């Protein structure tokens, strides 16, 4: 069956295994909460076969509602939501609402994606420009690369409020610019490292061959170094895309934002609704998967345009 699904077969198998483990983990995570609610409702939880007034067998607390008492798979505020609860909330807020609704995950996803794309574009441009400078200038390599490495040791949750305050001090209103800067801060480094590696990937023999043909520095760059760097670039772009999305969500948390997937996660945490948090997390994962899939498609088109057969 997995072979019939092609490349999606292993992915589906892993996803099904994870969902099964998730469903099993719901019981031990929520059973204490279900027992507590049963006791508060005045029901006696007894072993199966015992007789008691308003008795609820333990096994019935696992799955179903009994005597108006929710089981581990039906709690309103569970410690670990069941898969069907997350799917229901995700479906209701994705397909059951207009995309312009402030409660729609599509609306919040677009808010987050727009900021992530801005940060991704900024981080990509910065990473590529710095990489070119590092490859062609020894001073840049000695000065910029150590600073770039050090910058990634600073926790983003610590630097995000500083960026927000500085941007506000400059008179820039709104949350879009701080989120884009935080996103670019996280995504530029993998692109920088990948591009440096890619631009330096041509071996000495190929460089000497172009010198033999009297190729200029610009011709060597565009005809040899750039094509050689594309596999490294696309690999780092995929890492950078995920980092940009994470940076945008982190940027939404300390700003008190009311729009975006990060805001949905924050509001769900404040109001104690784990199902909302999980559905927002799944929306984020789907958004990231679609973005990576688009980058894969662009990579294949570029490779095909360059004459690659596979």
């Amino acid at each position: 069956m997995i072979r019939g699904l092609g490349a999606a077969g292993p992915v589906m198998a892993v996803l099904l295994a994870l969902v099964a483990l998730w469903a099993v983990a719901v019981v031990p995570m929520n059973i204490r909460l279900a027992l507590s609610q049963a006791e508060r409702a005045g029901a006696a939880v007894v072993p199966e076969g015992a007789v008691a007034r308003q008795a609820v067998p333990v096994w019935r607390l696992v799955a179903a509602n009994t005597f108006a008492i929710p089981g581990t798979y039906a709690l309103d505020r569970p410690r670990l939501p069941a898969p069907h609860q997350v799917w229901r909330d995700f479906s209701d807020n994705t397909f059951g609402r207009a995309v312009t609704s402030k409660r729609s995950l599509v609306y919040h996803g677009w808010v987050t994606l727009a900021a992530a794309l801005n940060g991704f574009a900024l981080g990509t441009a910065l990473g590529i420009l710095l990489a070119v400078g590092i490859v062609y200038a020894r001073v840049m390599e000695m000065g910029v690369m150590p600073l770039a490495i050090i910058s990634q040791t600073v926790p983003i949750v610590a630097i995000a409020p500083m960026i927000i305050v500085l941007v506000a001090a400059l008179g820039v209103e709104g949350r879009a610019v701080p989120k884009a800067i935080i996103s670019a801060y996280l995504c530029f480094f993998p692109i920088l490292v990948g591009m440096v590696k890619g631009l330096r990937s041509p071996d000495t023999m190929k460089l000497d061959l172009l010198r033999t043909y009297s190729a200029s520095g610009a011709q060597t760059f565009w005809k040899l170094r750039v094509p050689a760097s594309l596999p490294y670039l696309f690999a780092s772009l995929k890492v950078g895309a995920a980092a940009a999305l994470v940076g945008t969500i982190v940027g939404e948390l300390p700003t008190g934002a009311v729009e975006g997937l990060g805001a949905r996660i924050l509001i769900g945490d404040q109001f104690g609704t784990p199902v909302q948090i999980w559905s927002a997390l799944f929306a984020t994962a789907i958004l990231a998967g679609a973005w990576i899939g688009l980058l894969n498609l662009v990579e294949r088109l570029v490779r095909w345009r360059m004459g690659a057969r596979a």
Side-chain angles (χ1 to χ4, degrees):
M1 182 177 68
I2 291 179
R3 289 183 179 179
L5 293 174
V11 176
M12 293 300 296
V14 172
L15 286 177
L16 289 175
L18 290 176
V19 171
L21 290 173
W22 176 10
V24 171
V26 168
V27 176
M29 289 294 294
N30 294 336
I31 189 65
R32 289 183 178 273
L33 187 57
L35 290 171
S36 176
Q37 291 192 12
E39 292 174 357
R40 287 198 298 270
V45 180
V46 299
E48 185 178 3
V51 178
R53 183 176 179 272
Q54 189 76 349
V56 181
V58 174
W59 69 269
R60 298 199 68 174
L61 282 178
V62 170
N65 289 357
T66 307
F67 297 101
I69 300 169
T72 56
Y73 287 91
L75 295 170
D76 291 333
R77 298 175 184 271
R79 289 190 177 94
L80 177 63
H84 72 276
Q85 290 179 304
V86 176
W87 167 250
R88 183 169 60 244
D89 186 86
F90 175 83
S91 178
D92 291 344
N93 291 297
T94 301
F95 308 110
R97 302 184 187 278
V99 296
T100 56
S101 171
K102 294 297 181 66
R103 299 184 64 183
S104 170
L105 285 174
V106 177
Y107 174 82
H108 290 285
W110 170 249
V111 172
T112 297
L113 180 61
L117 287 173
N118 290 332
F120 180 71
L122 178 61
T124 299
L126 180 62
I128 292 175
L129 289 175
L130 290 178
V132 173
I134 288 171
V135 169
Y136 282 95
R138 179 67 175 172
V139 175
M140 285 279 292
E141 181 179 10
M142 297 176 62
V144 173
M145 184 59 82
L147 292 177
I149 295 172
I150 293 172
S151 71
Q152 300 303 299
T153 64
V154 181
I156 187 61
V157 293
I159 200 172
M162 298 169 57
I163 294 175
I164 295 168
V165 171
L166 289 175
V167 171
L170 294 174
V172 179
E173 298 181 356
R175 299 181 177 90
V177 174
K179 289 194 295 184
I181 294 175
I182 295 169
S183 177
Y185 171 81
L186 278 185
C187 80
F188 93 94
F189 184 72
I191 296 172
L192 168 65
V193 174
M195 200 61 183
V196 168
K197 180 68 175 177
L199 291 173
R200 287 177 171 170
S201 61
D203 55 36
T204 305
M205 184 179 298
K206 294 177 182 178
L207 294 171
D208 289 342
L209 178 62
L210 286 182
R211 292 192 189 97
T212 302
Y213 289 138
S214 300
S216 64
Q219 289 173 326
T220 301
F221 178 77
W222 291 109
K223 298 294 185 180
L224 179 60
R225 292 190 184 274
V226 169
S229 69
L230 288 180
Y232 299 88
L233 175 62
F234 278 104
S236 59
L237 284 177
K238 295 168 190 175
V239 178
L245 198 57
V246 171
T248 302
I249 292 175
V250 171
E252 290 172 345
L253 297 179
T255 62
V258 295
E259 297 179 344
L261 294 175
R264 290 280 294 184
I265 295 171
L266 182 62
I267 293 171
D269 179 67
Q270 291 174 341
F271 287 91
T273 53
V275 177
Q276 177 178 318
I277 297 174
W278 278 72
S279 63
L281 290 174
F282 269 81
T284 303
I286 293 171
L287 190 62
W291 193 351
I292 300 301
L294 180 60
L295 287 174
N296 280 329
L297 179 60
V298 173
E299 181 181 9
R300 290 187 178 185
L301 291 174
V302 172
R303 287 170 58 85
W304 173 79
R305 182 65 180 83
M306 295 178 63
R309 297 183 179 180

